[in-house]
Amino acid sequence: MNNPPMPDARPRFKRTRPVPAPERAEGALLRAKIALTLTIVALLLAAPYFLSEFRLSLLGKYLAFAILAIGIDLIWGYTGILSLGHGVFFGLGAYCMAMHLKLAASGGQLPDFMSWSGVEKLPWFWEPFASPWFALLAAIGVPTALAAALGYLTFRNRIRGAFFSILSQALVIVTVTLFIGQQGFTGGTNGLTNFDSFLGIKLSEPATKIGLYYAAVLLLGIVYALGRFAVGSRFGRVLTAIRDGENRVRFLGYNPVAYKVFVFAVSGALAGLAGILFVMMEGIISPAQMNIVPSIEMVLWVAIGGRGTLSGAVFGALLTNCAKTYFSESYPEGWLFFLGGLFVIVVLFLPRGIAGLWSDGIRWLSTRRDRHDKRSSDSGRNAEGGASASAG
């Protein structure tokens, strides 16, 4: 009679499915992004303690530029709209804020540049800017309205690609020419300057400069968080679909014009917000800062950082402007060549920008580590097999 087999007394362990290498790489990339984000936030919050007043003001200005870069990334990186005229929206926001600051500095009198130009009475469109709240509202509302109107007229007629980019540059030329020509109302080529206070607070005080810096940090964090939420939602997926195939989106029942007009208006609003922060920290705004060259530089910030990634837009704005400051201070005669070389290198060798290089580097390190762990595990199993064979 055969005896029944004895039950296996060895403990049985539930096998778990190994995590695929691509998923492990994405997890490593996410952890690296979180660590980098926390490090940057900590450095930004601690900056007033180790930077001079001048350097802190520069960094605050660069943070304002990063807000503008997020707006450009939303329309270019995610929607495929290349605007070469965002300097106009930035300048309009700055001018609206500067008009109030100039009136406050004049103490109820006619601004000095108007007196020099022969203007005897405050123009009617300047009068509402005596209110700081109207100025803040107009600084965001005017660029938003102009962007919405321009977007509706162009996108409704299916003007896109290079034609839209050329049209946006034409807007810059018209606006700059108008602001320079109306010297009695806009300050001409000199622009608006000589501000001293806002809501009774002296802008030149160190405490005010620190407060403006932290305001820029806070607003950048809010704009970035809202941008991440938007691009991760259904709205963001529709924007990406418009970028990749607008006609297909239209055939699926969506209205690309409404989405494009809305995101373009939001981008204009962010440019106006950046203009508010810029003029309060820099103390001047002129037509030169809303011309064609600054407008193209704004696009280059996003290209260098990596379009289609909001973090890349922020990093590109900060890195490019820091490099511009460093090269101009260290090499005053040849800094344009260094900066131009940086642009050429990124365009030719880093088509996905610095953010793409960062992501590829993290994935490569994660894959290399997985291969090393796999080789170590295989060597251990082979050694155990050899020892068992010898014992047998």
Side-chain angles (χ1 to χ4, degrees):
M1 184 174 179
N2 295 329
N3 294 326
M6 296 295 293
D8 191 358
R10 293 176 298 178
R12 296 181 178 272
F13 298 97
K14 183 180 179 180
R15 287 190 174 184
T16 58
R17 182 181 66 87
V19 180
E23 293 185 12
R24 289 197 298 270
E26 291 300 323
L29 179 61
L30 178 60
R31 291 190 296 271
K33 285 182 177 180
I34 293 175
L36 179 62
T37 301
L38 293 177
T39 302
I40 292 176
V41 169
L43 290 175
L44 290 177
L45 293 177
Y49 297 98
F50 59 84
L51 288 181
S52 65
E53 183 179 319
F54 173 71
R55 298 296 176 186
L56 186 68
S57 180
L58 282 179
L59 182 57
K61 185 174 66 174
Y62 300 160
L63 294 176
F65 290 157
I67 295 176
L68 188 151
I70 290 177
I72 294 178
D73 197 24
L74 287 174
I75 61 171
W76 185 34
Y78 288 92
T79 319
I81 304 171
L82 177 57
S83 171
L84 298 179
H86 251 58
V88 170
F89 308 124
F90 171 79
L92 288 175
Y95 263 96
C96 288
M97 192 69 241
M99 289 168 71
H100 167 74
L101 296 175
K102 190 64 177 178
L103 289 176
S106 301
Q109 302 295 323
L110 197 66
D112 49 11
F113 70 90
M114 290 186 181
S115 301
W116 301 336
S117 301
V119 178
E120 299 178 355
K121 183 181 178 182
L122 189 69
W124 62 268
F125 56 87
W126 269 75
E127 294 177 358
F129 289 92
S131 169
W133 312 118
F134 179 86
L136 287 171
L137 182 63
I140 296 178
V142 171
T144 304
L146 179 61
L150 177 65
Y152 178 76
L153 293 175
T154 54
F155 302 144
R156 180 173 177 268
N157 293 292
R158 300 190 181 183
I159 298 175
R160 55 186 178 182
F163 298 101
F164 180 83
S165 301
I166 295 173
L167 185 62
S168 65
Q169 282 203 327
L171 175 66
V172 174
I173 296 174
V174 171
T175 306
V176 171
T177 303
L178 177 64
F179 273 65
I180 292 176
Q182 299 298 320
Q183 183 172 349
F185 302 139
T186 63
T189 55
N190 296 324
L192 302 179
T193 186
N194 294 328
F195 317 131
D196 57 0
S197 65
F198 177 67
L199 296 177
I201 303 173
K202 293 292 183 181
L203 296 177
S204 58
E205 293 291 332
T208 304
K209 293 182 179 296
I210 294 176
L212 288 173
Y213 168 79
Y214 278 125
V217 173
L218 177 62
L219 289 173
L220 176 59
I222 293 174
V223 169
Y224 179 79
L226 292 177
R228 294 300 307 175
F229 174 78
V231 299
S233 64
R234 181 180 179 182
F235 173 77
R237 291 192 292 272
V238 173
L239 294 182
T240 305
I242 292 173
R243 179 196 65 192
D244 297 336
E246 184 174 342
N247 291 330
R248 293 184 179 182
V249 173
R250 187 177 288 107
F251 294 151
L252 290 174
Y254 291 94
N255 182 10
V257 174
Y259 282 89
K260 292 169 73 174
V261 170
F262 178 78
V263 73
F264 195 67
V266 170
S267 182
L270 294 180
L273 177 61
I276 294 174
L277 293 170
F278 173 84
V279 78
M280 295 186 71
M281 286 187 267
E282 187 73 2
I284 185 175
I285 181 65
S286 69
Q289 292 156 323
M290 54 194 296
N291 214 329
I292 291 179
V293 173
S295 298
I296 295 176
E297 283 186 2
M298 295 170 186
V299 175
L300 289 175
W301 300 340
V302 180
I304 290 175
R307 68 188 184 105
T309 59
L310 297 181
S311 57
V314 173
F315 189 72
L318 296 177
L319 176 64
T320 305
N321 284 283
C322 288
K324 183 177 180 180
T325 300
Y326 172 76
F327 289 144
S328 62
E329 292 177 350
S330 302
Y331 310 97
E333 296 181 356
W335 69 273
L336 283 175
F337 295 100
F338 286 100
L339 196 62
L342 176 62
F343 292 153
V344 171
I345 290 173
V346 170
V347 171
L348 292 181
F349 302 104
L350 301 174
R352 295 170 54 213
I354 297 175
L357 179 64
W358 162 266
S359 301
D360 293 342
I362 296 297
R363 291 191 180 97
W364 179 79
L365 290 175
S366 177
T367 303
R368 185 179 180 183
R369 185 183 62 185
D370 290 341
R371 291 175 179 174
H372 176 74
D373 294 343
K374 187 176 183 300
R375 285 196 298 267
S376 299
S377 178
D378 292 342
S379 299
R381 283 195 295 268
N382 292 336
E384 290 178 2
S388 300
S390 300

